[in-house]
Amino acid sequence: MPETTKCSQPQLGQQKEFHIAPMLDVSTIEFRYFMRLLSKRAILWTEMTVAETLVYRSQHNSLDDTNIQLDSELMRHCGWFDERHHYDGSCVDMVNPHPIVCQIGTNNPKQAAFATRVVQACGYDRIDLNAECPSDRVSGREFGAALMRDKDTAIDVIRSMVQTSESFEDEMTLPVSIKTRIGVDDFDSFEHLVGFVESLIDAGCKRFVIHARKVYTQGLSPAQNRTVPPLNYPFVYQLIQRFPQCDFWLNGGIMNLQHAKRVAYGQVTVYQLEDTENSCIHEKHSVPCDQCNMSHGSCIAHPEKNIPNLRGVMVGRLARDNPAALADVDRYFFGEATNPCSSRRDLMEKYIQFIERIYPRRCCDDDDVISSRMVMDMQQLIVHNRQCCSICQEFLLNTSSGLGHPDPDEVNDQNEVATYNDVIMPDQTDTKRRKRHIQKYGNAKIVSGVIDSAIQPTLSILYGQRGNNLFRRELHRLSRDMKVRNCGPSYILRKAMAAIPTEVWEKPFALNDTS
């Protein structure tokens, strides 16, 4: 079992922070790796981990164990991934996953304490309680947004998380936060939100991520709950100033990096205030707001001055729908000299190299095992009998002529090991399952879920650029083509990229004006 101690990582200091939100079915390991290639400094979040699942999946720990024994299954369900641990601790050419936050969902204090111990043992930097998700999968089980209606349960869960964190040694203490909305259903007054926050402060929580919309647990879908209720930034600013002893992060409606920076740091531009000591936003801004000109009367005005305990901002849909917009985060928001990637080509090549390591091609081996998970979770090594097949030689074959014609000696190279040294995975000898797979997919040895997980983060990389729709269509077409499935997701990504003019990929990322 690889050790889970952290390599050196960026420290979460006093500078304003830029967070990439937890998104259900989006914030996967692949998505987070893609985001980390774009920014070394942004703070990444996992999708919500259900604490009950961690309890159920733990084979070596009881609910009351104080020292957690990790195994690959428990780490997988906790969303933990650090590729460097599979290369004997080497950090060379590997992306550092830190800083990273694990969000959990639960209404059970004991399960919350157990999840906190698992999260700490994995190596996360922080832990967060979800008290804002409106999904039926969550609210129907009386956690997520339902916790805003059940203050006593929220208090018990947070207190359990904080006390568990404080029981760790000083250097291993895990900061605890709660992510919530400004209201839920009919509980949407400022007084209710203040009372909710005050109760959580009394329970030991000092960190709050506020999504600046209310949430409706009935009548709106999760997608509608992210767009229909109006954003109310002044409401959040008022709350933040009410509790100067706590740290806050604002989530919801951040449009771009310029907007993120103005909200985080404040900027007197449109209005010059006579009383800047007590005001953080101009009185004309309120909900419904006719100044911001946003749908549903939303107000997304930045504060007119820096609010010290507004510690940063969080984006979600911006990262999912236009990831290239975050390519300048490190330089523009954090003041670094350069960004990690200079172009979409640079980003995609680094990501494809990662995908080739965790989801190797299966066209050149004689094994019947099905690739349904990452290669480091597999029970046996995959050995390639050939350097490439007649399909993937288009990108993988290194020829002396450079013209792409195969060299028989190169094609017949033997015993190319495709993976890591110590790997474990569930047994896949179920013959009935294998027969069903053959009936559905033929000889394809890589399941569709693997392909979809690998390509999903890249779907919007050409947002606003020539070839965006063509790239997405090619990804969809190739991902459903059983003839190329065994060449793996890296081949599919390269093949789809080849349909787009080279200059589109090599065009430098746009930089924001810092003057």
Side-chain angles (χ1 to χ4, degrees):
M1 187 69 210
E3 295 184 3
T4 59
T5 54
K6 304 174 188 175
C7 294
S8 60
Q9 61 204 53
Q11 297 298 310
L12 305 180
Q14 294 304 308
Q15 191 178 31
K16 301 282 186 169
E17 297 173 354
F18 187 94
H19 292 243
I20 297 179
M23 292 174 278
L24 199 62
D25 299 326
V26 174
S27 300
T28 60
I29 288 169
E30 297 87 352
F31 177 82
R32 298 200 309 264
Y33 197 96
F34 196 68
M35 291 295 108
R36 183 57 73 217
L37 289 171
L38 282 169
S39 171
K40 295 180 180 180
R41 299 290 303 277
I43 299 173
L44 306 183
W45 287 51
T46 67
E47 56 186 336
M48 185 189 67
T49 295
V50 178
E52 183 180 10
T53 301
L54 296 181
V55 175
Y56 176 76
R57 292 289 180 175
S58 181
Q59 300 178 5
H60 307 293
N61 309 277
S62 70
L63 194 60
D64 297 321
D65 283 345
T66 55
N67 295 317
I68 295 295
Q69 298 181 49
L70 291 174
D71 56 36
S72 61
E73 190 75 355
L74 190 57
M75 293 168 70
R76 183 171 71 87
H77 284 280
C78 195
W80 177 252
F81 178 77
D82 187 346
E83 189 188 16
R84 299 166 303 170
H85 293 151
H86 298 273
Y87 284 91
D88 300 323
S90 172
C91 295
V92 179
D93 296 328
M94 307 283 169
V95 169
N96 188 337
H98 300 279
I100 184 169
V101 180
C102 182
Q103 185 183 70
I104 67 167
T106 186
N107 60 3
N108 185 306
K110 285 192 173 182
Q111 292 178 357
F114 181 84
T116 302
R117 289 192 287 270
V118 173
V119 168
Q120 190 271 343
C122 283
Y124 284 103
D125 297 292
R126 299 177 185 173
I127 187 171
D128 178 84
L129 176 65
N130 184 326
E132 64 106 13
C133 181
S135 169
D136 292 340
R137 286 185 280 175
V138 174
S139 59
R141 299 165 70 176
E142 294 303 315
F143 59 92
L147 289 176
M148 290 195 70
R149 294 190 309 238
D150 188 356
K151 183 168 65 175
D152 291 341
T153 298
I155 291 170
D156 290 343
V157 172
I158 278 291
R159 179 178 290 117
S160 176
M161 294 170 66
V162 171
Q163 290 177 350
T164 301
S165 176
E166 290 177 345
S167 70
F168 303 140
E169 296 179 5
D170 289 343
E171 65 273 14
M172 303 301 291
T173 299
L174 195 68
V176 176
S177 65
I178 185 169
K179 188 172 188 290
T180 187
R181 299 268 186 139
I182 59 175
V184 56
D185 298 328
D186 294 331
F187 300 90
D188 59 358
S189 68
F190 185 72
E191 290 71 22
H192 176 266
L193 183 59
V194 167
F196 185 66
V197 170
E198 281 180 336
S199 299
L200 295 171
I201 292 173
D202 291 341
C205 185
K206 297 296 194 299
R207 298 173 177 85
F208 299 87
V209 182
I210 308 295
H211 188 155
R213 305 179 194 267
K214 68 176 291 184
V215 61
Y216 293 91
T217 58
Q218 301 292 328
L220 292 181
S221 68
Q224 290 173 322
N225 262 302
R226 292 190 290 269
T227 57
V228 174
L231 289 155
N232 194 337
Y233 282 19
F235 202 88
V236 178
Y237 300 146
Q238 186 180 356
L239 177 72
I240 295 172
Q241 292 185 305
R242 181 71 172 262
F243 299 101
Q245 75 275 28
C246 297
D247 291 333
F248 291 84
W249 291 262
L250 187 147
N251 172 225
I254 298 295
M255 301 175 66
N256 49 47
L257 290 187
Q258 298 96 322
H259 186 211
K261 195 170 183 178
R262 287 196 297 268
V263 170
Y265 287 97
Q267 182 181 4
V268 178
T269 53
V270 180
Y271 303 105
Q272 297 294 330
L273 305 182
E274 294 180 1
D275 181 10
T276 57
E277 292 298 321
N278 300 313
S279 300
C280 68
I281 192 166
H282 194 270
E283 61 184 7
K284 290 185 178 180
H285 283 279
S286 60
V287 174
C289 185
D290 58 4
Q291 300 293 313
C292 290
N293 195 29
M294 299 292 294
S295 61
H296 307 291
S298 290
C299 180
I300 59 169
H302 58 75
E304 297 291 345
K305 63 177 183 178
N306 181 19
I307 307 175
N309 61 323
L310 172 54
R311 298 286 294 113
V313 296
M314 173 181 283
V315 304
R317 283 175 293 152
L318 179 64
R320 182 196 66 187
D321 299 340
N322 185 14
L326 306 187
D328 198 25
V329 165
D330 287 7
R331 187 195 68 92
Y332 178 76
F333 192 92
F334 289 103
E336 298 287 346
T338 59
N339 296 306
C341 293
S342 59
S343 67
R344 289 172 176 82
R345 168 81 69 188
D346 187 15
L347 170 64
M348 291 294 290
E349 287 293 340
K350 291 176 181 177
Y351 180 68
I352 289 173
Q353 290 171 15
F354 167 68
I355 290 300
E356 286 174 338
R357 292 195 295 269
I358 67 170
Y359 297 130
R361 70 190 189 279
R362 300 300 311 283
C363 56
C364 296
D365 65 76
D366 298 326
D367 206 317
D368 285 336
V369 67
I370 302 300
S371 292
S372 60
R373 296 184 185 175
M374 291 184 180
V375 72
M376 65 281 301
D377 290 330
M378 296 184 69
Q379 190 175 24
Q380 62 192 81
L381 295 175
I382 296 173
V383 178
H384 290 161
N385 304 105
R386 302 176 303 281
Q387 182 178 352
C388 57
C389 71
S390 60
I391 296 174
C392 61
Q393 69 180 25
E394 177 180 5
F395 299 113
L396 295 181
L397 191 61
N398 297 316
T399 65
S400 56
S401 65
L403 299 177
H405 301 297
D407 182 324
D409 292 333
E410 291 176 330
V411 174
N412 292 323
D413 282 350
Q414 298 294 310
N415 299 328
E416 179 189 346
V417 179
T419 125
Y420 308 89
N421 291 325
D422 37 28
V423 288
I424 26 183
M425 189 167 193
D427 183 75
Q428 296 194 34
T429 58
D430 184 345
T431 55
K432 290 183 178 179
R433 179 186 176 195
R434 176 62 178 156
K435 288 179 180 178
R436 289 196 302 267
H437 181 87
I438 292 175
Q439 289 174 354
K440 185 174 182 179
Y441 299 110
N443 291 321
K445 293 185 284 188
I446 302 178
V447 302
S448 57
V450 163
I451 302 295
D452 293 342
S453 295
I455 68 176
Q456 184 269 339
T458 72
L459 289 175
S460 299
I461 189 57
L462 292 181
Y463 176 87
Q465 301 295 310
R466 179 161 55 103
N468 175 53
N469 291 336
L470 174 60
F471 180 63
R472 294 174 69 100
R473 287 197 302 270
E474 282 294 285
L475 284 176
H476 178 76
R477 180 183 68 82
L478 291 164
S479 68
R480 298 299 178 259
D481 187 346
M482 292 299 110
K483 294 179 181 179
V484 304
R485 174 68 65 84
N486 284 343
C487 291
S490 60
Y491 172 81
I492 291 173
L493 287 167
R494 290 188 187 279
K495 186 68 174 176
M497 287 179 66
I500 308 302
T502 299
E503 59 268 22
V504 175
W505 296 111
E506 295 182 350
K507 179 182 177 182
F509 281 124
L511 300 181
N512 297 274
D513 185 7
T514 57
S515 61

